[in-house]
DNA sequence: TACGTAACGTA
DNA sequence: CGTACGTTACGTAA
């Protein structure tokens, strides 16, 4: 399929006119179909990159460069004032995309070349000439016809016919066929015919045919000009009237072939893309579909992975109590622990120990393997493979002792998973973890998408350990049993990488002063989360099915109602069909525009209902939506009830950039509570066998309290100290009335604003949310800030500091980096500003409840209780209470949660007991 | 089948 | 034109 007309034994130089092709790409692809969630248009970037990948694949160039114009005037502008005048302004959607393209090129290790005073064409002409002199085949990709003058035996122009995918080869024959003159005479012809794109008028009445005829007849443009007086007819007159234009055109369309350039051919050799940079950029641009195409292309010539440098020790196989004891005694310093998993069961542990190097602590001086023989070389890594299925009781006791030894330092990737694997599957308790790169990597860069070992190793150590898989997926855990040797070897190799990575990350964290956050918060929390996940929460399945039926009936009723109104049946779950009905058939007013037309979201529909005086279709639609959302939630829960009759969520500790946890499979952090119907779902979560009741404990208004603490606003602090109803208190200040006279309307306005502030709410946003005028919203905010001035100062200060430092910090020193605070793109910048406002508040709240969880766990153990924590929902904990422990646990949880932070305002905790989550709520 | 989009639940 | 998440159904896709 890869047809190549260039000679295989000659090097090929690919030269691209960047701006020209980007512009073509821009018009070839629909701009509205290519944009990021932040509104950055990417159609030109996508089209250009796609074209580039195709070219790389089809032409297999050995050298490549992309030339760009500079904004500065060129010599052509000084020769002709109106050069390129009259062009339409570049569309706004195009602006900025060229910059993105240069970033793509940089990530792909492709040189971009510019030259002051010259156009991209001149740069290309110069490089083409150099390439030709050096015996290259040269391919020029441009939408500018002037490049045809470069064509000869060695140089071919790929000139886009339509879009950027159809690039016919314009060799000498093709140029001649199209323009009736050889390539070197194309500029003569263009001078006569003119070039509208450059605002170069030619001779009126003279097209390519006439021009070619003259050029051939008089042997070039000079000949034509010399014989101008004798050319007959109207065209002759026309020519004579425009001789100056023709001379000027010819002067301007001559490409310069000796521009001084900062690069030569030897800088243009092709090399593999910077995989990490490409991933990062393509992810940011949300054009992920191009990555596989690109990496597939370079997969075969990918440099041998640096993993080869990593000498993975050949694992020994200690299996008796004595052998294990000896191995653990001899293992120097930290031990990396890598599990091998078969069908969800951990069958083998691969352990790797490596001396920490010259600066290593005493542990590294430990003697070499006791029974290994060779001594002297202290820097040898050692590995062991422990088959968990083949240990006798004594050996297992030794292993269990080491695993549970909190003073035997271990490095584990994805600690929570490994902890659960060992504890849940084999009853082995893991303790003594000193690092988990998936967590330390997260604290260093909380915005990263992946903390896979391979990604972290690549990013921080520049070590490639990804398999051959183009997607870069980790495959170690999925390998089938017959590749046991490979699995073990890979695991040992990963163990070595793990130790090095951990050393690096730990140092980085320490240098930044975040070591405690890791070792005293996240790491111990991982174990607690593991226990909570293993415990799960009991589900009342009978109630679950009852709810399914109830919500199902509600869905049917709403659906029937909706169909009756419009007189036909559609899929109410399809936004597309809804749009057709609402806007086209019912001809109701249009709502906010979205990518696929007009939104049919609940806000918009509610608004429409008000404006249509309660259109019955819309009312039925909302009822349908409510009911089907609820049934959907219930069905999800039904599916996730495990064999033990409990629902086990998975908490993710390194997803939320603010430091919060997230919950998935199922998500138990978004169980409905706001409506009565929805709240019934919480009746499903009940106390399990062997326990007496559930306990819920939640912080009241923790984010506002943090805001009061961080801002030091005296008025706000006073409100909390007095223990008043916060929103009533704030309302009385803002509206200047007594607290008792604050109406519910006033209270809810103030409440919306208080919370909105922590999210960077604008007066526009507030007006929309409260359905009041922008002026009123502005006044409201003004009044608010005049009473709580320190809050305003604090919020301003956050953004300023974050812009200066590049990151925000929580009360525990958790950082979030926000490079977009200094972006030129307003939308990106303002988004980052809102994130900066929110991160310290949301993140500090996350710190506090995490600390509280450690405290509760510790206190339960200390008090010898058998109650246990089950769920965390950002500001709430759910516990399962053993008989007789209600009182003690209530006090303990109160104390630990309230004492988790020392703020200038009290932390108030509300506790409730009940047999279900619903009943326990207060 | 895989993916992005729209919608919507929580704090 | 308010932050942080996860899940689902729909509809189209290279």
């Amino acid at each position: 399929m890869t047809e190549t007309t260039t000679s295989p034994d000659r090097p090929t130089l690919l030269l691209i006119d960047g701006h020209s092709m980007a512009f073509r790409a821009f018009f070839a692809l629909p701009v509205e179909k290519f944009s990021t969630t932040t509104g950055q248009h990417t159609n030109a970037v996508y089209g250009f990159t796609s074209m580039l990948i195709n070219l790389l694949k089809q032409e297999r160039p050995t050298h490549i460069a992309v030339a760009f114009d500079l904004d500065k005037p060129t010599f052509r502008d000084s020769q002709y004032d109106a050069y390129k005048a009259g062009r339409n302004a570049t569309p706004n959607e195009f602006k900025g995309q060229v910059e993105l393209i240069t970033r793509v090129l940089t990530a792909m290790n492709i040189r971009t070349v510019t030259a002051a005073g010259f156009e991209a064409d001149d740069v290309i002409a110069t490089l083409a000439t150099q390439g030709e002199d050096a015996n290259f085949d040269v391919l020029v990709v441009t939408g500018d016809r002037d490049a045809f003058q470069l064509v000869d035996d060695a140089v071919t122009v790929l000139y886009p016919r339509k879009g950027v995918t159809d690039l016919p080869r314009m060799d000498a024959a093709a140029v001649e066929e199209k323009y009736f003159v050889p390539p070197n005479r194309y500029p003569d012809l263009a001078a006569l015919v003119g070039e509208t794109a450059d605002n170069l008028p030619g001779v009126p009445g003279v097209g390519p045919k006439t021009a070619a005829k003259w050029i051939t007849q008089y042997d070039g443009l000079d000949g034509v000009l010399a014989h101008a007086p004798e050319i007959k007819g109207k065209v002759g007159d026309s020519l004579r009237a425009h001789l100056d234009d023709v001379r000027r055109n010819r002067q301007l369309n001559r490409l310069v072939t000796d521009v001084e350039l900062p690069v030569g051919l030897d800088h243009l050799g092709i090399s593999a893309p910077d995989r990490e940079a490409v991933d990062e950029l393509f992810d940011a641009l949300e054009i992920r579909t191009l990555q596989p195409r690109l990496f597939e292309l370079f997969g075969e010539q990918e440099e041998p992975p640096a993993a080869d440098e990593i000498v993975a020790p050949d694992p020994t196989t200690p299996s008796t109590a004595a052998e294990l004891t000896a191995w653990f005694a001899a293992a120097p310093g930290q031990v990396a622990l890598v599990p091998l998993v078969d069908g969800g069961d951990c069958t083998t542990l691969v352990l790797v120990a490596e001396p920490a190097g010259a600066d290593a602590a005493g542990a590294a001086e430990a003697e070499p393997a006791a029974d290994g023989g060779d001594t002297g070389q202290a820097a040898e890594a050692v590995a062991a493979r422990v088959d968990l299925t083949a240990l006798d009781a004594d050996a297992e006791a030794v292993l269990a002792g080491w695993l549970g030894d909190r003073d035997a330092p271990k490095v584990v990737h994805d600690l929570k998973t490994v902890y659960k694997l060992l504890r849940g599957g084999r009853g082995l308790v893991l303790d003594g973890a000193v690092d988990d790169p998936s967590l330390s990597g997260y604290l260093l860069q909380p915005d990263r998408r992946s903390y896979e070992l391979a990604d972290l190793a690549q990013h921080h150590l520049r070590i490639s350990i990804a398999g051959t898989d183009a997607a870069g997926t980790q495959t170690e855990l999925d390998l089938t049993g017959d590749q046991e040797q490979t699995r073990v070897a890979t695991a040992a190799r990963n163990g070595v990488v793990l130790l090095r990575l951990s050393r690096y990350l730990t140092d980085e964290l320490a240098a930044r002063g975040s070591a405690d956050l890791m070792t005293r918060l996240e790491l111990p929390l991982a174990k607690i989360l593991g226990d909570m996940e293993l415990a799960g929460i009991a589900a009342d399945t009978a109630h679950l099915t009852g709810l399914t039926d109830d919500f199902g009936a509600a869905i049917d009723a709403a659906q029937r109602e909706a169909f009756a109104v419009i007189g036909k049946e559609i899929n109410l779950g399809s936004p597309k069909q809804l749009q057709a009905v609402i806007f086209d058939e019912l001809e109701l007013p249009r709502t906010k525009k979205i990518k696929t037309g007009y939104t049919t979201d609940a806000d918009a529909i509610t608004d429409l209902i008000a404006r249509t005086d309660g259109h019955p279709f819309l009312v039925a639609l909302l009822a349908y939506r409510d009911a089907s959302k609820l049934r959907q939630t219930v069905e999800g829960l039904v599916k996730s009830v495990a064999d033990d009759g409990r629902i086990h969520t998975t908490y993710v500790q390194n997803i939320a950039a603010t430091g919060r946890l997230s919950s998935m499979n199922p998500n138990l952090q978004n169980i409905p509570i706001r409506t009565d119907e929805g709240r019934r779902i919480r009746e499903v979560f009940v106390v399990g066998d062997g326990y007496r009741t559930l306990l819920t404990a939640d912080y009241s208004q923790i984010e506002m309290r943090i805001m009061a603490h961080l801002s030091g606003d005296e008025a706000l602090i006073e409100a909390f100290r007095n223990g008043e109803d916060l929103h009533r208190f704030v309302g009385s200040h803002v509206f200047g009335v007594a607290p008792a006279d604050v109406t519910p309307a006033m209270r809810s306005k103030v409440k919306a604003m208080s919370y909105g502030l922590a999210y960077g709410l604008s007066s526009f946003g507030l007006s929309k949310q409260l359905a009041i005028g922008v002026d009123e919203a502005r006044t409201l905010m003004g009044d608010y800030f005049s009473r709580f001035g320190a809050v305003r100062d604090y919020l301003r200060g956050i953004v300023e500091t974050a812009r200066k430092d590049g990151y925000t910090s929580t009360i525990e020193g958790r950082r979030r980096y926000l490079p977009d605070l200094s972006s030129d793109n307003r939308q990106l910048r303002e988004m980052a500003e809102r994130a900066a406002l929110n991160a310290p508040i949301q993140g500090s709240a996350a710190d506090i409840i995490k600390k509280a969880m450690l405290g509760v766990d510790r206190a339960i153990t200390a008090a010898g209780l058998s109650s246990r924590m089950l769920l965390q929902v950002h500001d709430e904990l759910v516990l399962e209470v053993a008989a007789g422990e209600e009182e003690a646990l209530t006090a303990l949880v109160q104390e630990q949660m309230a004492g988790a932070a020392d703020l200038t305002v009290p932390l108030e905790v509300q506790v409730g007991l009940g047999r279900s989550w619903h009943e326990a709520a207060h």
Side-chain angles (χ1 to χ4, degrees):
Chain A
M1 274 297 284
T2 48
E3 104 184 275
T4 312
T5 59
T6 46
S7 159
D9 47 348
R10 273 164 52 120
T12 302
L13 171 64
L14 181 64
L15 299 170
I16 300 174
D17 183 333
H19 195 274
S20 160
M21 296 311 291
F23 214 61
R24 293 271 177 164
F26 177 76
F27 286 110
L29 295 173
V31 65
E32 67 279 359
K33 290 274 281 183
F34 292 85
S35 57
T36 66
T37 49
T38 63
Q40 170 67 56
H41 298 291
T42 53
N43 61 329
V45 184
Y46 185 95
F48 183 93
T49 310
S50 175
M51 170 204 76
L52 181 58
I53 293 170
N54 285 341
L55 285 170
L56 290 172
K57 183 169 179 185
Q58 281 161 23
E59 308 296 343
R60 296 279 165 183
T62 55
H63 293 66
I64 185 169
V66 180
F68 283 96
D69 304 317
L70 291 173
D71 289 336
K72 294 168 200 152
T74 66
F75 70 94
R76 293 189 179 87
D77 295 281
S78 46
Q79 289 177 2
Y80 177 45
D81 287 344
Y83 182 65
K84 289 190 176 177
R87 285 192 173 185
N88 293 330
T90 30
N92 277 329
E93 293 85 352
F94 182 67
K95 289 177 186 159
Q97 292 202 56
V98 170
E99 154 70 15
L100 294 176
I101 287 171
T102 61
R103 283 164 60 183
V104 168
L105 291 168
T106 305
M108 289 174 69
N109 280 323
I110 292 175
R111 293 292 290 247
T112 56
V113 190
T114 59
F118 296 93
E119 292 178 49
D121 264 353
D122 301 312
V123 172
I124 287 175
T126 301
L127 288 172
T129 306
Q130 290 175 11
E132 191 163 8
D133 291 347
N135 231 9
F136 279 66
D137 282 325
V138 181
L139 290 171
V140 174
V141 185
T142 178
D144 190 334
R145 282 187 290 262
D146 286 338
F148 291 150
Q149 64 190 273
L150 301 171
V151 172
D152 59 19
D153 285 350
V155 181
T156 303
V157 170
L158 304 185
Y159 182 78
R161 182 183 294 153
K162 185 178 131 234
V164 285
T165 44
D166 187 13
L167 297 171
R169 310 181 82 86
M170 300 298 284
D171 56 14
V175 172
E176 192 148 4
E177 188 187 345
K178 187 152 185 204
Y179 297 102
F180 319 109
V181 292
N184 65 324
R185 288 197 164 151
Y186 174 81
D188 290 354
L189 177 132
L192 287 165
V193 175
E195 179 62 80
T196 353
D198 294 338
N199 195 33
L200 298 177
V203 180
V206 173
K209 286 223 166 155
T210 312
K213 191 182 79 188
W214 290 345
I215 289 167
T216 311
Q217 185 176 348
Y218 300 112
D219 193 28
L221 186 63
D222 289 342
V224 176
L225 294 174
H227 292 85
E230 68 204 48
I231 294 178
K232 298 199 184 68
K234 263 196 132 138
V235 282
D237 295 340
S238 185
L239 171 64
R240 285 184 288 278
H242 294 88
L243 288 177
D244 286 346
D245 281 355
V246 173
R247 288 196 193 91
R248 179 207 57 212
N249 290 353
R250 185 62 183 90
Q251 200 177 354
L252 291 175
N253 73 16
R254 171 169 292 118
L255 298 181
V256 184
T257 55
D258 55 358
V259 179
E260 255 192 66
L261 297 177
V263 295
L265 293 176
D266 46 341
H267 297 108
L268 304 181
I270 211 137
S271 59
D274 177 342
R275 177 162 200 142
E276 174 140 7
V278 167
D279 281 342
E280 193 174 322
L281 187 56
F282 283 23
D283 280 2
L285 295 175
E286 298 167 24
I287 50 176
R288 297 181 190 85
T289 50
L290 292 178
Q291 274 137 303
R293 281 170 60 194
L294 178 60
F295 292 125
E296 179 196 4
L297 191 58
F298 282 93
E300 66 202 31
Q301 57 192 79
E302 208 166 5
E303 297 164 40
D308 286 357
E309 298 164 20
I310 298 191
V311 186
D314 219 9
T316 55
T317 53
S319 57
T320 66
E323 285 166 349
L324 282 168
T325 305
W327 198 90
F328 291 132
Q334 302 180 349
V335 176
L337 191 154
V338 183
L340 292 186
V341 183
D342 275 316
D345 180 35
C346 175
T347 54
T348 303
L349 288 181
V350 175
L351 309 175
V352 177
E354 191 187 42
D359 59 333
E365 295 166 19
E367 284 79 352
D371 55 354
D374 86 335
T375 52
Q377 299 305 85
E380 288 287 312
V382 290
R385 162 192 178 178
V386 183
D387 185 349
L388 299 180
T389 61
L391 296 180
D392 62 28
D394 288 347
E396 182 152 335
V398 171
L399 178 68
W402 178 79
L403 284 173
D405 182 357
R406 64 163 57 187
D407 294 321
K410 303 162 190 81
V411 175
V412 189
H413 191 258
D414 195 357
L415 174 61
K416 172 160 67 68
T417 300
V418 178
Y419 173 84
K420 283 173 64 183
L421 229 34
L422 292 174
R423 173 163 213 166
R426 311 211 151 256
L428 293 165
V429 176
L430 178 61
D431 204 349
V434 292
D435 189 30
D436 171 354
S438 77
L439 293 177
S440 40
Y442 165 66
L443 289 180
L444 280 173
Q445 303 175 315
D447 278 287
R448 267 186 95 81
R449 287 160 298 287
S450 160
Y451 300 93
E452 292 293 316
L453 185 61
D455 290 320
L456 291 171
Q458 179 60 240
H459 181 81
H460 293 288
L461 304 179
R462 307 266 158 225
I463 291 177
S464 303
I465 59 166
T468 48
D469 184 350
T473 340
Q474 280 289 89
T475 49
E476 283 93 43
L477 298 184
D478 308 327
L479 290 174
T480 47
D482 58 310
Q483 290 170 299
E484 190 65 15
Q485 281 306 321
T486 322
R487 299 175 75 200
V488 172
T490 307
R493 193 270 323 268
N494 285 358
V496 175
V497 172
L498 203 45
L499 290 172
R500 293 199 193 165
L501 185 61
S502 172
R503 218 176 290 148
Y504 174 84
L505 295 175
T506 307
D507 286 352
E508 286 289 301
L509 271 184
R512 180 214 261 191
S514 297
D516 278 2
L517 195 56
M518 179 65 199
T519 56
R520 303 176 68 143
L521 196 66
E522 300 295 354
L523 217 42
L525 183 68
K527 170 186 168 307
I528 292 174
L529 293 174
D531 285 332
M532 291 164 63
E533 293 176 12
L534 286 173
I537 185 165
D540 181 341
T541 46
H543 198 247
L544 221 33
T545 32
L547 287 177
T548 312
D549 297 344
D550 290 358
F551 294 143
I555 291 174
D556 288 346
Q559 193 161 245
R560 270 198 302 277
E561 172 67 28
F563 293 166
V565 177
I566 58 172
K568 62 172 182 175
E569 302 199 351
I570 63 162
N571 181 351
L572 293 174
S574 160
K576 199 181 167 189
Q577 295 179 41
L578 285 175
Q579 284 180 35
V581 168
I582 297 172
F583 305 116
D584 298 340
E585 292 166 30
L586 299 176
E587 294 183 318
L588 299 180
R590 317 247 141 185
T591 56
K592 197 179 71 169
K593 261 200 120 122
I594 54 172
K595 261 186 188 158
T596 55
Y598 299 91
T599 183
T600 63
D601 68 18
D603 267 357
I605 298 298
T606 308
D607 190 51
L608 270 190
I609 288 176
R611 292 167 58 183
T612 57
D613 203 23
H615 196 291
F617 176 73
L618 300 180
V619 173
L621 172 61
L622 285 189
Y624 170 83
R625 284 246 179 95
D626 282 346
S628 54
K629 179 76 180 175
L630 291 174
R631 190 177 63 175
Q632 186 185 303
T633 303
V634 171
E635 280 175 348
L637 291 175
V638 169
K639 284 190 201 118
S640 46
V641 177
D643 292 343
D644 60 1
R646 301 175 71 96
I647 297 175
H648 303 262
T649 185
T650 301
Y651 290 103
V652 190
Q653 217 177 333
N654 56 12
I655 285 278
T658 53
R660 273 191 177 178
L661 299 176
S662 76
S663 156
M664 51 184 258
N665 297 324
N667 181 356
L668 295 187
Q669 291 179 323
N670 73 341
I671 302 301
I673 192 170
R674 295 193 179 164
T675 65
D676 289 338
E677 283 298 285
R679 218 175 355 245
R680 294 181 59 200
I681 298 180
R682 294 189 173 223
E683 294 165 350
V684 166
F685 299 88
V686 295
V687 62
D689 290 343
Y691 293 84
R692 179 58 55 84
T693 184
L694 291 183
L695 180 153
T696 71
D698 63 60
Y699 284 114
S700 105
Q701 292 152 343
I702 188 168
E703 295 195 342
M704 285 309 294
R705 287 171 199 267
I706 289 168
M707 176 102 93
H709 171 79
L710 292 176
S711 69
D713 189 285
E714 287 302 332
L716 210 50
I717 291 172
E718 189 198 334
F720 282 120
R721 288 199 177 144
N722 293 345
E724 307 190 38
D725 175 313
L726 174 79
H727 304 304
R728 182 170 292 278
F729 175 89
V730 173
S732 82
H733 278 258
V734 170
F735 292 107
V737 299
D741 295 334
V742 174
T743 64
M746 287 155 79
R747 187 178 183 282
S748 73
K749 281 183 187 180
V750 162
K751 184 177 173 184
M753 187 160 50
S754 287
Y755 279 100
L757 286 178
Y759 303 147
L761 187 67
S762 65
S763 49
F764 180 90
L766 185 67
S767 75
K768 227 180 70 167
Q769 197 193 314
L770 295 179
I772 58 177
V774 179
D775 285 342
E776 193 187 337
R778 198 170 291 131
T779 309
L780 202 57
M781 287 181 88
D783 290 346
Y784 191 104
F785 282 133
S786 71
R787 298 291 174 158
F788 304 97
V791 172
R792 184 209 305 249
D793 297 344
Y794 163 70
L795 293 173
R796 282 207 185 129
I798 286 185
V799 176
E800 263 176 50
T801 311
R803 214 188 305 278
K804 181 163 63 67
D805 296 342
Y807 59 86
T808 60
S809 297
T810 66
I811 54 178
E812 290 295 323
R814 181 192 305 277
R815 290 185 187 177
R816 177 170 185 188
Y817 289 86
L818 293 161
D820 283 347
L821 284 174
S822 35
S823 168
D824 294 333
N825 181 326
R826 201 181 84 172
Q827 193 177 354
L828 282 183
R829 190 177 58 249
E830 291 181 342
M831 231 173 198
E833 285 170 357
R834 291 191 294 271
L837 289 175
N838 180 247
I841 298 171
Q842 189 183 115
S844 295
D847 290 347
I848 290 172
I849 194 160
K850 282 178 171 177
K851 282 182 75 179
M853 293 169 76
L854 296 187
V856 167
D857 183 70
R858 199 181 314 114
I860 285 179
T861 308
L865 303 185
S866 27
S867 299
R868 53 184 183 173
M869 255 186 293
L870 302 183
L871 305 179
Q872 189 253 44
V873 191
H874 306 309
D875 67 354
E876 174 186 11
L877 296 178
V878 178
L879 293 91
E880 200 164 34
V881 190
E885 297 183 359
E886 291 93 334
E887 219 172 292
L889 193 69
T890 302
L892 174 161
V893 169
Q894 279 267 10
E895 184 187 345
Q896 293 300 327
M897 285 181 71
D902 189 18
L903 307 183
T904 49
V905 294
L907 273 177
E908 205 173 286
V909 180
Q910 299 184 5
V911 179
L913 297 164
R915 85 165 272 284
S916 73
W917 194 1
H918 173 72
E919 284 174 29
H922 14 270

